[in-house]
Amino acid sequence: MNPKFYSQLGLAMRAGKLVTGDEGVFKAIRAGEAKLVIMSEDASANTRKKFQDKCLFYGVKLMEVGTKYELGRSIGKEMRVTIGVLDGGFAQMLQKSQENPAEVKHIDQ
């Protein structure tokens, strides 16, 4: 669990840059509005396949992070399996926080 990631996800929600729920996220992907799709690691096999196929077809990055309860709690809602990020800046920030969870970087001498 990366607290920074969940905090940034909550910030994106307060900024109005997220869409949740299967239909809302599918609609955003089809319309070209979704810059990133976040799916819980405990999503069903059927949901996982639908979103992997849709994101691959439309060229949208898909991340699998946390549980549906953690995703929901981070945005102030009940459990959420899928979240679509509508802003490129937030999408980039969320991807970076997952790639580099450590705040302290080692310096080679």
Side-chain angles (χ1 to χ4, degrees), residues 55-89:
C55 287
L56 182 65
F57 183 79
Y58 285 95
V60 177
K61 176 108 170 110
L62 175 67
M63 291 175 63
E64 292 186 34
V65 181
T67 66
K68 50 189 158 192
Y69 297 103
E70 290 170 338
L71 289 178
R73 186 175 32 239
S74 69
I75 62 170
K77 305 281 184 186
E78 292 194 22
M79 62 181 182
R80 291 293 189 262
V81 177
T82 56
I83 298 174
V85 182
L86 305 177
D87 181 76

Side-chain angles (χ1 to χ4, degrees), residues 4-16:
K4 184 177 179 182
F5 174 83
Y6 293 113
S7 174
Q8 291 172 342
L9 196 59
L11 181 65
M13 181 65 178
R14 288 188 298 280

Side-chain angles (χ1 to χ4, degrees), residues 10 16 20-22 28 37 39 41 54 59 66 81-82 86 99-100 105:
T20 64
D22 288 1
V37 173
M39 182 170 48
E41 293 170 344
K54 190 69 75 175
V81 177
T82 56
L86 305 177
E99 291 169 3
N100 303 320
K105 295 183 180 181

